[in-house]
Amino acid sequence: MKLPSDLEIASQAPLVPIADIARAAGIPEEHLEPYGRFVAKVNVKARGDLARQPRGKYVVVTAVTPTPLGEGKTATSVGLAQGIAKIGKRSMLALRQPSMGPTFGIKGGAAGAGYAQVIPMESLNLHLTGDFHAVTAAHNLLAAMVDNHIYQGNALNLDPQTVAWRRVMDVNDRALRNVIVGLGEAADGVPRQTGFDITAASEVMVILMLATGLKDLRGRLGRIVVGYTRSGEAVTAEQLRAAGAMAVILKDAINPNLMQTLEHTPALIHAGPFGNIATGNSSVLACQLGIHAAEYLITEAGFGADMGFERFVNVKCRVSGMQPDAAVLVVTVRALKMNSGRHRVVPGRPLPPAMLEENPADVLAGADNLRAHIAIVRSVGVSPVVAINAFPGDHDSEHEVIRQIAREAGARVAVYRGVAGGGEGARELAQAVVEAADEPQDFRYTYDLALPLKAKIEAVATKIYGADGVDYTPEASRALKNFEALGYGEFPVVIAKTHLSISSNPKLRGAPKGWRLPVREVRLAAGAGYVYAICGDMRTMPGLPSHPAAENIDLDEDGNVTGLF
């Protein structure tokens, strides 16, 4: 039987007043800042009161290398939280806020799916409480102050050719990837080439995600490097006297947003950094609050275990001081069939008919990808649970192949049917996760921060991706040497690469061997607190497809949203 649309399911669901959701999670009402009846911000001051409650188990949801359509990590996270509640445990979610770019583009919203959703889903997928707009405004204020500083005499001797601080907006618009500002009369500014990124790619968004409080937020904003002087010295937001005003714009955005699932499980929604060029995780603050508000806190890391999960471990966990008790690895039949190299999946198009046919051999041919991701989770000392996200067109024989692969690799495995069945459809997975989280873990980072930057990049490339080594352009090598000279050598690293392969080449499927990671450029995110290496052509401002989702979104006569998915 065909399910109603996500929006239809969400719009028909009964909502519990948000004060009741908070009360069930032990969040004192004085720390709530309501945004209507069903959404509230939780003041970060609640962390002190919640810390007196026992610490729950910490579970991170990741995935195998996904198809361009995504494999349902958010839906699995939501359903898992509901499933844990079904087996008599208190649970909570900590998720990223969706960007409106994908919502209006190809992928659609990110509130979950079917009967595993966070509601009200239209609020979550659109403006929510305005955090993304606050990040946009704070980021663009700094951009304006950079150009104004150059126009007003450039007392800091900032070299315009080195300015790396572009502008942002939360809509896909390829026409803004490269622009020239300052054209017109002399009073209109100093002409220079720049461009726009999507708000989820902003360093300010990562800072919001990693900040542990207002003081830390303010300090990180001040450390943002916008460019360099002609003698090579870093120019910061603090020197431009912009950081204070940026912090004021973000003073409410730092508070996580409290919502609920279809089954009234509490969900903290906060921050939304990109998963391929940034950290791809929800906020540290949401997790620090949520870990004391439930017996099990479920969070999600963007894309596969080689991407968001690696950054969860080596960046987020270092800041939060928290360590995971289990990791859920979402896998689908279609993802493994794609990783067999026998099928091609195109964004915005239906799956190839041959991919929908019963074919356990194709699943087995893509199994190396699953094995590699299980190994990544194990490499940091965390117990993996493989969640087979079941789609209507799947076949039992194909699921059985996945079960066998997972068991041979020493992982627990469960079929997840939460999209169609809600919490009931996630009971098997919930039980497996509870068992895994009760095991003693041997958590460890992939690298030591005292290592040189190149050694850290090479550790991720070889230990996580399976590369034979790393090749740097001369420009990248010079940049790394310069960052160490400027005092940023003990930062963790983020590697910006494709999410469609464990390697840096999106065409390489499965678990590629005999390749080297090419680092063509290295950039500094001093406020966020990491150095990131760019491998390949990474788009920080997506474009719209020929028929974007926005074409179908509208209001009915009663003011209800239609066409959102």
Side-chain angles (χ1 to χ4, degrees):
M1 184 179 69
K2 185 178 179 181
L3 289 177
S5 71
D6 292 348
L7 183 56
E8 288 170 338
I9 292 171
S11 62
Q12 295 167 10
L15 284 151
V16 172
I18 201 64
D20 293 346
I21 298 294
R23 192 175 302 113
I27 300 172
E29 192 166 358
E30 62 264 27
H31 294 306
L32 289 187
E33 301 168 8
Y35 279 68
R37 295 181 61 205
F38 305 117
V39 178
K41 279 195 166 291
V42 180
N43 194 290
V44 294
K45 295 177 181 178
R47 185 170 43 184
D49 289 340
L50 288 169
R52 291 191 282 270
Q53 299 178 182
R55 181 195 183 279
K57 298 286 188 178
Y58 195 26
V59 180
V60 57
V61 178
T62 183
V64 298
T65 299
T67 69
L69 309 176
E71 305 318 301
K73 286 194 312 300
T74 303
T76 303
S77 300
V78 176
L80 172 59
Q82 294 178 156
I84 287 176
K86 287 288 185 184
I87 63 174
K89 311 285 186 181
R90 290 191 307 117
S91 60
M92 174 171 268
L93 284 160
L95 301 175
R96 287 180 293 170
Q97 180 181 339
S99 165
M100 289 196 296
T103 296
F104 292 133
I106 292 179
K107 195 173 181 181
Y115 293 95
Q117 293 188 64
V118 176
I119 53 176
M121 69 91 84
E122 60 269 40
S123 297
L124 176 57
N125 284 314
L126 299 173
H127 305 287
L128 196 54
T129 59
D131 293 350
F132 268 58
H133 303 313
V135 169
T136 301
H139 182 114
N140 290 341
L141 172 64
L142 178 56
M145 293 185 73
V146 167
D147 281 308
N148 184 62
H149 182 85
I150 295 171
Y151 173 78
Q152 299 290 354
N154 199 2
L156 293 172
N157 197 28
L158 173 61
D159 183 354
Q161 296 296 318
T162 69
V163 173
W165 197 256
R166 293 153 58 91
R167 287 163 171 80
V168 298
M169 62 183 295
D170 194 34
V171 175
N172 293 358
D173 192 347
R174 65 171 55 82
L176 294 179
R177 288 173 180 166
N178 295 284
V179 300
I180 296 176
V181 296
L183 295 178
E185 304 292 333
D188 295 329
V190 178
R192 68 179 184 88
Q193 184 173 342
T194 180
F196 277 75
D197 299 327
I198 196 165
T199 298
S202 168
E203 185 180 345
V204 177
M205 181 66 80
V206 185
I207 288 172
L208 182 67
M209 175 246 149
L210 289 171
T212 57
L214 277 172
K215 182 178 179 181
D216 186 38
L217 175 76
R218 174 62 181 79
R220 288 176 179 271
L221 292 171
R223 293 193 291 273
I224 291 172
V225 173
V226 300
Y228 300 87
T229 67
R230 289 181 172 84
S231 59
E233 297 173 352
V235 176
T236 66
E238 196 67 61
Q239 290 174 287
L240 291 166
R241 302 183 65 184
M246 294 170 72
V248 169
I249 293 172
L250 295 167
K251 70 179 182 65
D252 294 323
I254 197 173
N255 298 318
N257 306 290
L258 182 64
M259 300 182 75
Q260 62 190 286
T261 73
L262 288 166
E263 298 179 12
H264 315 306
T265 304
L268 289 169
I269 311 295
H270 200 211
F274 259 18
N276 55 354
I277 63 162
T279 47
N281 282 264
S282 63
S283 77
V284 164
L285 279 169
C287 287
Q288 288 180 336
L289 289 167
I291 199 67
H292 292 286
E295 293 175 276
Y296 292 85
L297 174 64
I298 314 300
T299 193
E300 175 196 345
F303 296 128
D306 57 319
M307 302 289 285
F309 175 77
E310 182 272 317
R311 293 149 197 194
F312 168 84
V313 168
N314 291 308
V315 180
K316 183 178 180 180
C317 287
R318 291 185 196 271
V319 174
S320 70
M322 298 166 59
Q323 299 177 357
D325 296 290
V328 175
L329 191 59
V330 178
V331 61
T332 61
V333 167
R334 71 187 190 187
L336 293 192
K337 285 184 174 181
M338 183 195 74
N339 275 288
S340 73
R342 300 173 180 176
H343 304 277
R344 183 167 176 260
V345 180
V346 180
R349 295 183 187 176
L351 292 173
M355 204 171 178
L356 302 176
E357 297 174 0
E358 184 173 8
N359 195 333
D362 279 0
V363 177
L364 187 60
D368 280 349
N369 189 264
L370 174 56
R371 295 186 186 102
H373 284 284
I374 292 173
I376 290 170
V377 173
R378 287 198 174 282
S379 74
V380 297
V382 179
S383 295
V385 179
V386 173
I388 305 172
N389 186 13
F391 281 70
D394 290 357
H395 302 275
D396 290 343
S397 62
E398 296 170 331
H399 287 176
E400 187 54 39
V401 169
I402 298 176
R403 283 186 184 274
Q404 182 179 346
I405 296 164
R407 287 168 179 160
E408 289 174 353
R412 289 179 171 83
V413 59
V415 175
Y416 168 75
R417 302 184 187 276
V419 173
E424 283 293 335
R427 277 183 177 269
E428 181 187 353
L429 177 59
Q431 191 60 53
V433 168
V434 168
E435 291 173 4
D438 283 341
E439 291 182 345
Q441 307 296 317
D442 183 26
F443 180 78
R444 53 190 175 271
Y445 301 116
T446 306
Y447 51 79
D448 191 293
L449 289 181
L451 290 172
L453 291 172
K454 277 192 174 182
K456 285 180 273 198
I457 293 171
E458 287 157 14
V460 175
T462 57
K463 296 179 182 179
I464 302 296
Y465 305 159
D468 289 344
V470 182
D471 295 324
Y472 303 90
T473 63
E475 294 79 9
S477 290
R478 283 195 296 270
L480 288 168
K481 185 177 180 180
N482 184 49
F483 293 154
E484 289 178 339
L486 290 170
Y488 302 115
E490 293 198 358
F491 275 6
V493 296
V494 166
I495 299 177
K497 73 172 188 70
T498 180
H499 62 284
L500 298 175
S501 173
I502 295 180
S503 75
S504 59
N505 183 347
K507 296 180 180 179
L508 296 181
R509 303 301 186 198
K513 303 295 182 185
W515 64 281
R516 296 178 64 84
L517 183 75
V519 175
R520 66 173 178 83
E521 185 181 353
V522 183
R523 298 177 184 174
L524 173 67
Y530 60 78
V531 168
Y532 61 108
I534 300 174
C535 307
D537 185 18
M538 307 304 300
R539 292 293 188 187
T540 53
M541 170 54 82
L544 291 172
S546 56
H547 293 286
E551 291 179 354
N552 301 315
I553 298 173
D554 209 332
L555 295 173
D556 65 16
E557 293 180 354
D558 298 320
N560 298 309
V561 176
T562 62
L564 188 64
F565 70 96

Coordinates of all heavy atoms in Angstrom, one line a residue, residues 207 210-223 254 319 527:
I207 N 30.9 27.5 13.3 CA 31.2 28.1 14.6 C 29.9 27.9 15.5 O 30.1 27.6 16.7 CB 31.5 29.6 14.5 CG1 33.0 29.7 13.9 CG2 31.5 30.3 15.8 CD1 33.4 31.1 13.5
L210 N 29.9 24.4 16.7 CA 31.0 23.9 17.6 C 31.0 24.8 18.9 O 31.7 24.3 19.9 CB 32.3 24.0 16.9 CG 32.6 23.0 15.8 CD1 33.9 23.3 15.1 CD2 32.7 21.6 16.4
A211 N 30.4 25.9 19.0 CA 30.5 26.8 20.1 C 29.9 26.1 21.4 O 28.9 25.4 21.3 CB 29.7 28.1 19.9
T212 N 30.6 26.2 22.5 CA 30.1 25.6 23.7 C 29.4 26.6 24.6 O 29.0 26.3 25.8 CB 31.3 25.1 24.5 OG1 32.3 26.1 24.7 CG2 31.9 23.9 23.7
G213 N 29.2 27.9 24.2 CA 28.5 28.9 24.9 C 28.7 30.2 24.3 O 29.5 30.4 23.3
L214 N 28.1 31.3 24.8 CA 28.2 32.6 24.2 C 29.7 33.1 24.2 O 30.1 33.7 23.3 CB 27.3 33.6 25.0 CG 25.8 33.6 24.6 CD1 25.0 34.5 25.5 CD2 25.7 34.1 23.1
K215 N 30.4 32.9 25.3 CA 31.8 33.4 25.4 C 32.6 32.7 24.3 O 33.4 33.3 23.6 CB 32.3 33.1 26.8 CG 33.8 33.6 27.0 CD 34.3 33.3 28.4 CE 35.7 33.8 28.5 NZ 36.2 33.6 29.9
D216 N 32.4 31.4 24.2 CA 33.2 30.6 23.1 C 32.8 31.1 21.8 O 33.6 31.3 20.9 CB 32.9 29.1 23.3 CG 33.8 28.3 22.4 OD1 35.0 28.6 22.1 OD2 33.3 27.3 21.9
L217 N 31.5 31.3 21.5 CA 31.0 31.8 20.3 C 31.7 33.2 19.9 O 32.2 33.3 18.8 CB 29.5 32.0 20.3 CG 28.9 32.6 19.1 CD1 28.8 31.6 17.9 CD2 27.5 33.2 19.4
R218 N 31.7 34.1 20.9 CA 32.3 35.4 20.7 C 33.8 35.3 20.3 O 34.3 35.9 19.4 CB 32.1 36.3 21.9 CG 32.8 37.6 21.9 CD 32.3 38.5 20.8 NE 33.0 39.8 20.8 CZ 34.2 40.0 20.3 NH1 34.9 39.0 19.7 NH2 34.7 41.2 20.3
G219 N 34.5 34.4 21.0 CA 35.9 34.2 20.8 C 36.2 33.6 19.4 O 37.1 34.1 18.7
R220 N 35.4 32.6 19.0 CA 35.6 32.0 17.7 C 35.3 33.0 16.6 O 36.0 33.0 15.6 CB 34.7 30.8 17.6 CG 35.1 29.6 18.4 CD 34.1 28.5 18.3 NE 34.5 27.3 19.1 CZ 35.2 26.3 18.6 NH1 35.7 26.3 17.4 NH2 35.5 25.3 19.4
L221 N 34.3 33.8 16.7 CA 34.0 34.8 15.7 C 35.1 35.8 15.5 O 35.5 36.2 14.4 CB 32.7 35.6 16.1 CG 31.4 34.8 16.0 CD1 30.2 35.6 16.6 CD2 31.0 34.3 14.6
G222 N 35.7 36.2 16.6 CA 36.9 37.1 16.6 C 38.1 36.5 15.9 O 38.9 37.2 15.3
R223 N 38.2 35.2 15.9 CA 39.4 34.5 15.3 C 39.2 34.2 13.8 O 40.2 33.7 13.2 CB 39.7 33.2 16.1 CG 40.2 33.4 17.5 CD 40.7 32.2 18.1 NE 39.8 31.2 18.4 CZ 39.0 31.0 19.5 NH1 39.2 32.0 20.4 NH2 38.2 30.1 19.6
I254 N 22.2 30.8 19.2 CA 23.0 29.8 19.9 C 22.2 28.8 20.7 O 22.6 27.8 21.1 CB 24.0 30.5 20.8 CG1 25.2 29.5 21.1 CG2 23.4 31.1 22.0 CD1 26.3 30.1 21.9
V319 N 35.7 18.7 20.8 CA 35.2 20.0 21.4 C 34.2 19.7 22.5 O 34.2 20.3 23.6 CB 34.5 20.8 20.3 CG1 33.8 22.0 20.9 CG2 35.5 21.3 19.3
G527 N 38.3 30.4 13.0 CA 37.2 30.6 14.0 C 36.6 29.2 14.3 O 36.4 28.9 15.5

